[in-house]
Amino acid sequence: MIADRVLPLSGIHNFRDYGGYAVEDGGRLRQGLLWRSAHHEQATDADLGAVDALGLETVIDLRGDDEREMHPCRRSDNFSARVLFAGGVTAGLAPHLQAAGGAIDVETARARMIDTYAGMPYRSALVATLRLYLAALAEYDAPSLVHCVAGKDRTGFAVAIVHRLVGVHEDDLMHDYLLTNTAGKIEERIAQGAAHIRARYGAEIKDEAVRALMSVNPAYLDAALATVRRDHGDIPSYAEAVLNFTPAMREALIDKLVV
Protein backbone atom coordinates (compact mmCIF):
# COMPACT_ATOMS: atom_id res chain seq x y z
CA MET A 1 0.00 0.00 0.00
CA ILE A 2 1.14 3.56 -0.67
CA ALA A 3 1.02 4.51 3.00
CA ASP A 4 3.44 1.71 3.84
CA ARG A 5 6.02 2.99 1.36
CA VAL A 6 5.98 6.74 2.09
CA LEU A 7 8.05 8.37 4.83
CA PRO A 8 5.92 11.37 5.90
CA LEU A 9 8.44 14.21 6.05
CA SER A 10 7.35 17.83 6.10
CA GLY A 11 10.29 19.33 4.21
CA ILE A 12 11.37 16.56 1.80
CA HIS A 13 8.99 15.63 -1.00
CA ASN A 14 8.30 12.14 -2.30
CA PHE A 15 10.45 10.27 0.22
CA ARG A 16 9.63 6.59 -0.07
CA ASP A 17 10.85 3.01 -0.09
CA TYR A 18 10.80 1.49 -3.56
CA GLY A 19 11.38 -2.09 -2.42
CA GLY A 20 8.80 -4.74 -1.62
CA TYR A 21 7.81 -5.75 -5.15
CA ALA A 22 7.73 -9.36 -6.35
CA VAL A 23 10.34 -10.33 -8.91
CA GLU A 24 9.85 -12.49 -11.97
CA ASP A 25 12.07 -15.42 -10.97
CA GLY A 26 10.57 -15.70 -7.50
CA GLY A 27 11.20 -13.82 -4.30
CA ARG A 28 10.61 -10.22 -3.44
CA LEU A 29 12.65 -7.03 -3.39
CA ARG A 30 13.74 -6.26 0.15
CA GLN A 31 12.21 -3.29 1.94
CA GLY A 32 14.07 -0.74 3.99
CA LEU A 33 17.13 -0.71 1.70
CA LEU A 34 16.07 1.28 -1.36
CA TRP A 35 14.89 4.85 -0.77
CA ARG A 36 14.14 7.70 -3.17
CA SER A 37 13.22 11.35 -2.71
CA ALA A 38 13.48 14.92 -3.90
CA HIS A 39 16.32 17.16 -2.66
CA HIS A 40 16.64 18.02 1.03
CA GLU A 41 17.13 21.78 0.91
CA GLN A 42 13.95 22.44 2.93
CA ALA A 43 14.37 19.51 5.34
CA THR A 44 13.41 20.23 8.92
CA ASP A 45 15.43 19.06 11.91
CA ALA A 46 12.79 16.36 12.47
CA ASP A 47 13.15 15.27 8.84
CA LEU A 48 16.90 14.99 9.24
CA GLY A 49 16.46 12.86 12.34
CA ALA A 50 14.11 10.53 10.44
CA VAL A 51 16.60 10.24 7.59
CA ASP A 52 19.44 9.45 10.00
CA ALA A 53 17.31 6.71 11.57
CA LEU A 54 17.24 4.86 8.23
CA GLY A 55 20.93 4.01 8.59
CA LEU A 56 21.82 5.15 5.09
CA GLU A 57 25.22 4.00 3.90
CA THR A 58 25.07 5.75 0.52
CA VAL A 59 23.24 8.77 -0.90
CA ILE A 60 23.27 9.12 -4.68
CA ASP A 61 22.73 12.68 -5.88
CA LEU A 62 21.69 12.70 -9.54
CA ARG A 63 21.99 16.49 -9.81
CA GLY A 64 24.84 18.40 -11.38
CA ASP A 65 27.20 20.77 -9.57
CA ASP A 66 25.09 23.75 -10.62
CA GLU A 67 21.95 22.24 -9.12
CA ARG A 68 23.71 21.26 -5.89
CA GLU A 69 24.94 24.82 -5.51
CA MET A 70 21.44 26.18 -6.14
CA HIS A 71 19.68 23.68 -3.83
CA PRO A 72 22.16 22.54 -1.15
CA CYS A 73 20.88 19.59 0.90
CA ARG A 74 20.65 19.98 4.65
CA ARG A 75 22.39 17.30 6.70
CA SER A 76 22.30 16.66 10.42
CA ASP A 77 25.44 16.67 12.57
CA ASN A 78 25.00 12.90 12.80
CA PHE A 79 24.85 12.33 9.05
CA SER A 80 27.45 9.71 8.13
CA ALA A 81 26.47 8.39 4.68
CA ARG A 82 28.80 8.82 1.77
CA VAL A 83 27.35 11.02 -0.99
CA LEU A 84 28.06 9.94 -4.56
CA PHE A 85 27.67 12.17 -7.60
CA ALA A 86 29.32 12.86 -10.93
CA GLY A 87 31.19 16.14 -11.12
CA GLY A 88 30.31 18.77 -13.68
CA VAL A 89 27.18 20.61 -14.67
CA THR A 90 24.02 19.03 -16.01
CA ALA A 91 22.30 19.98 -19.23
CA GLY A 92 21.64 23.10 -17.13
CA LEU A 93 18.17 22.32 -15.86
CA ALA A 94 16.14 19.60 -14.21
CA PRO A 95 14.05 17.79 -16.86
CA HIS A 96 10.80 19.50 -15.87
CA LEU A 97 12.46 22.92 -16.15
CA GLN A 98 14.18 22.01 -19.40
CA ALA A 99 10.84 20.96 -20.87
CA ALA A 100 9.11 24.11 -19.61
CA GLY A 101 10.75 26.43 -22.12
CA GLY A 102 8.03 27.48 -24.53
CA ALA A 103 5.51 25.04 -23.02
CA ILE A 104 2.56 27.39 -22.70
CA ASP A 105 -0.23 24.81 -22.92
CA VAL A 106 -0.67 21.30 -21.57
CA GLU A 107 -0.27 19.55 -24.94
CA THR A 108 3.07 21.25 -25.58
CA ALA A 109 4.22 20.57 -22.02
CA ARG A 110 3.52 16.86 -22.34
CA ALA A 111 5.19 16.65 -25.75
CA ARG A 112 8.29 18.38 -24.43
CA MET A 113 8.44 16.10 -21.40
CA ILE A 114 8.24 13.06 -23.69
CA ASP A 115 11.10 14.45 -25.80
CA THR A 116 13.15 15.16 -22.68
CA TYR A 117 12.64 11.64 -21.35
CA ALA A 118 13.52 10.12 -24.72
CA GLY A 119 17.01 11.59 -24.37
CA MET A 120 17.39 10.76 -20.69
CA PRO A 121 19.23 7.41 -21.12
CA TYR A 122 22.19 9.32 -22.58
CA ARG A 123 22.35 12.44 -20.41
CA SER A 124 26.05 12.46 -19.57
CA ALA A 125 25.84 13.57 -15.93
CA LEU A 126 23.00 11.15 -15.28
CA VAL A 127 24.81 8.24 -16.93
CA ALA A 128 27.95 8.92 -14.91
CA THR A 129 26.03 8.97 -11.62
CA LEU A 130 23.96 5.91 -12.50
CA ARG A 131 27.23 4.02 -12.94
CA LEU A 132 28.17 4.98 -9.39
CA TYR A 133 24.71 4.07 -8.10
CA LEU A 134 24.57 0.60 -9.61
CA ALA A 135 28.13 -0.17 -8.55
CA ALA A 136 27.28 0.83 -4.98
CA LEU A 137 24.13 -1.30 -4.93
CA ALA A 138 26.08 -4.31 -6.16
CA GLU A 139 28.81 -3.83 -3.55
CA TYR A 140 27.11 -2.71 -0.34
CA ASP A 141 24.37 -4.55 1.54
CA ALA A 142 23.07 -1.45 3.32
CA PRO A 143 20.33 1.20 2.90
CA SER A 144 20.75 3.76 0.15
CA LEU A 145 18.89 6.83 -1.08
CA VAL A 146 18.73 8.21 -4.61
CA HIS A 147 17.44 11.70 -5.35
CA CYS A 148 17.50 14.55 -7.83
CA VAL A 149 15.69 17.93 -7.57
CA ALA A 150 12.00 16.99 -7.67
CA GLY A 151 12.59 13.26 -7.19
CA LYS A 152 10.43 12.27 -10.12
CA ASP A 153 12.19 12.33 -13.51
CA ARG A 154 15.85 11.35 -13.23
CA THR A 155 15.09 9.55 -9.98
CA GLY A 156 12.13 7.81 -11.63
CA PHE A 157 14.32 6.61 -14.48
CA ALA A 158 17.04 5.42 -12.09
CA VAL A 159 14.52 3.45 -10.02
CA ALA A 160 13.02 1.91 -13.17
CA ILE A 161 16.48 0.70 -14.20
CA VAL A 162 17.08 -0.90 -10.80
CA HIS A 163 13.63 -2.49 -10.80
CA ARG A 164 14.12 -4.18 -14.16
CA LEU A 165 17.67 -5.30 -13.35
CA VAL A 166 16.39 -7.27 -10.36
CA GLY A 167 13.32 -8.57 -12.23
CA VAL A 168 10.46 -6.39 -11.00
CA HIS A 169 7.60 -6.72 -13.49
CA GLU A 170 7.05 -3.71 -15.74
CA ASP A 171 3.51 -3.19 -14.42
CA ASP A 172 4.90 -2.82 -10.90
CA LEU A 173 7.75 -0.68 -12.19
CA MET A 174 5.21 1.72 -13.66
CA HIS A 175 3.05 1.56 -10.54
CA ASP A 176 5.98 2.72 -8.43
CA TYR A 177 6.81 5.50 -10.89
CA LEU A 178 3.22 6.78 -10.82
CA LEU A 179 3.14 6.87 -7.02
CA THR A 180 4.83 10.25 -7.43
CA ASN A 181 1.41 11.62 -8.41
CA THR A 182 -0.29 10.44 -5.22
CA ALA A 183 2.36 9.92 -2.54
CA GLY A 184 3.14 12.89 -0.36
CA LYS A 185 2.26 16.57 -0.79
CA ILE A 186 2.03 16.67 -4.57
CA GLU A 187 0.02 19.90 -4.58
CA GLU A 188 2.70 21.62 -2.53
CA ARG A 189 5.38 20.31 -4.89
CA ILE A 190 3.42 21.52 -7.92
CA ALA A 191 2.99 24.95 -6.37
CA GLN A 192 6.71 25.21 -5.69
CA GLY A 193 7.50 24.05 -9.20
CA ALA A 194 5.06 26.57 -10.65
CA ALA A 195 6.88 29.40 -8.90
CA HIS A 196 10.25 28.30 -10.36
CA ILE A 197 8.83 27.73 -13.84
CA ARG A 198 7.00 31.06 -14.01
CA ALA A 199 9.97 32.93 -12.60
CA ARG A 200 12.09 31.56 -15.43
CA TYR A 201 9.62 31.50 -18.34
CA GLY A 202 6.84 33.93 -17.50
CA ALA A 203 3.44 33.92 -15.87
CA GLU A 204 1.58 33.06 -19.08
CA ILE A 205 2.23 29.33 -18.69
CA LYS A 206 -1.12 27.67 -18.00
CA ASP A 207 -1.83 25.88 -14.73
CA GLU A 208 -2.52 22.64 -16.63
CA ALA A 209 0.86 22.90 -18.35
CA VAL A 210 2.62 23.36 -15.00
CA ARG A 211 0.85 20.29 -13.65
CA ALA A 212 1.98 18.26 -16.70
CA LEU A 213 5.55 19.36 -16.06
CA MET A 214 5.50 18.71 -12.31
CA SER A 215 3.73 15.35 -12.34
CA VAL A 216 4.61 12.04 -13.99
CA ASN A 217 2.88 10.32 -16.87
CA PRO A 218 3.25 6.77 -18.23
CA ALA A 219 4.10 8.23 -21.63
CA TYR A 220 7.14 9.98 -20.15
CA LEU A 221 8.82 6.90 -18.72
CA ASP A 222 7.74 4.86 -21.75
CA ALA A 223 9.68 7.30 -23.94
CA ALA A 224 12.92 6.71 -21.99
CA LEU A 225 12.45 2.94 -21.99
CA ALA A 226 11.65 3.00 -25.71
CA THR A 227 15.02 4.64 -26.37
CA VAL A 228 16.72 1.91 -24.34
CA ARG A 229 14.93 -0.87 -26.21
CA ARG A 230 15.50 0.72 -29.61
CA ASP A 231 19.25 0.91 -29.09
CA HIS A 232 19.95 -2.07 -26.83
CA GLY A 233 16.95 -4.42 -26.84
CA ASP A 234 16.43 -4.46 -23.08
CA ILE A 235 17.49 -2.76 -19.87
CA PRO A 236 20.19 -5.28 -18.83
CA SER A 237 21.91 -4.83 -22.20
CA TYR A 238 21.69 -1.04 -21.87
CA ALA A 239 23.09 -1.24 -18.35
CA GLU A 240 26.02 -3.34 -19.53
CA ALA A 241 26.80 -1.24 -22.62
CA VAL A 242 26.21 2.26 -21.23
CA LEU A 243 26.35 1.99 -17.44
CA ASN A 244 29.27 -0.49 -17.26
CA PHE A 245 27.09 -2.86 -15.25
CA THR A 246 28.37 -6.36 -15.85
CA PRO A 247 26.42 -9.63 -15.51
CA ALA A 248 28.48 -10.41 -12.40
CA MET A 249 27.43 -7.10 -10.85
CA ARG A 250 23.82 -7.85 -11.69
CA GLU A 251 24.09 -11.23 -9.99
CA ALA A 252 25.52 -9.53 -6.89
CA LEU A 253 22.72 -6.94 -6.98
CA ILE A 254 20.04 -9.62 -7.07
CA ASP A 255 21.75 -11.58 -4.31
CA LYS A 256 21.73 -8.52 -2.02
CA LEU A 257 18.28 -7.15 -2.80
CA VAL A 258 15.99 -10.14 -3.46
CA VAL A 259 14.74 -12.48 -0.75
Side-chain angles (χ1 to χ4, degrees):
M1 295 178 63
I2 293 175
D4 295 331
R5 299 182 184 278
V6 178
L7 197 63
L9 304 180
S10 59
I12 307 176
H13 293 299
N14 203 21
F15 203 119
R16 66 182 194 266
D17 182 348
Y18 72 87
Y21 292 101
V23 301
E24 292 172 344
D25 292 334
R28 187 169 293 272
L29 197 57
R30 294 171 64 185
Q31 290 189 271
L33 290 183
L34 298 169
W35 296 91
R36 55 175 293 177
S37 76
H39 66 69
H40 302 180
E41 182 181 20
Q42 302 300 323
T44 66
D45 289 345
D47 293 338
L48 297 181
V51 172
D52 287 343
L54 298 176
L56 297 175
E57 193 279 335
T58 307
V59 172
I60 298 86
D61 188 340
L62 299 175
R63 303 174 300 167
D65 293 340
D66 46 341
E67 295 173 297
R68 276 186 293 278
E69 182 177 353
M70 188 180 304
H71 302 289
C73 286
R74 291 195 66 210
R75 309 291 188 201
S76 79
D77 292 339
N78 297 320
F79 180 80
S80 60
R82 59 178 185 153
V83 180
L84 303 180
F85 57 85
V89 299
T90 62
L93 297 170
H96 63 276
L97 288 175
Q98 178 183 337
I104 303 301
D105 56 61
V106 64
E107 291 82 8
T108 304
R110 286 175 180 153
R112 290 181 64 85
M113 285 296 290
I114 289 169
D115 287 344
T116 299
Y117 266 76
M120 196 175 291
Y122 299 114
R123 288 180 69 143
S124 58
L126 178 59
V127 164
T129 312
L130 285 177
R131 290 171 178 166
L132 297 176
Y133 185 28
L134 293 179
L137 290 180
E139 182 176 358
Y140 295 96
D141 188 5
S144 65
L145 166 72
V146 60
H147 76 88
C148 53
V149 173
K152 68 185 190 72
D153 299 319
R154 287 168 291 185
T155 298
F157 178 69
V159 168
I161 294 298
V162 174
H163 272 161
R164 281 307 295 152
L165 287 174
V166 298
V168 171
H169 193 277
E170 293 208 11
D171 288 346
D172 288 331
L173 175 157
M174 185 62 74
H175 168 79
D176 189 85
Y177 172 73
L178 294 176
L179 284 180
T180 293
N181 289 339
T182 54
K185 300 188 178 181
I186 184 171
E187 297 303 326
E188 182 179 326
R189 187 179 74 244
I190 288 173
Q192 290 178 355
H196 289 298
I197 290 167
R198 289 188 169 119
R200 180 176 289 272
Y201 296 113
E204 67 275 12
I205 296 179
K206 307 291 187 192
D207 287 346
E208 295 82 0
V210 171
R211 183 169 293 274
L213 295 165
M214 290 305 302
S215 57
V216 294
N217 185 304
Y220 301 167
L221 184 58
D222 282 342
L225 299 181
T227 296
V228 168
R229 294 189 183 99
R230 179 198 67 201
D231 295 345
H232 302 280
D234 58 23
I235 286 174
S237 297
Y238 161 78
E240 185 172 3
V242 178
L243 305 180
N244 301 335
F245 193 68
T246 67
M249 294 169 74
R250 186 183 181 198
E251 184 176 340
L253 180 76
I254 293 170
D255 184 61
K256 289 177 173 61
L257 295 181
V258 176
V259 293

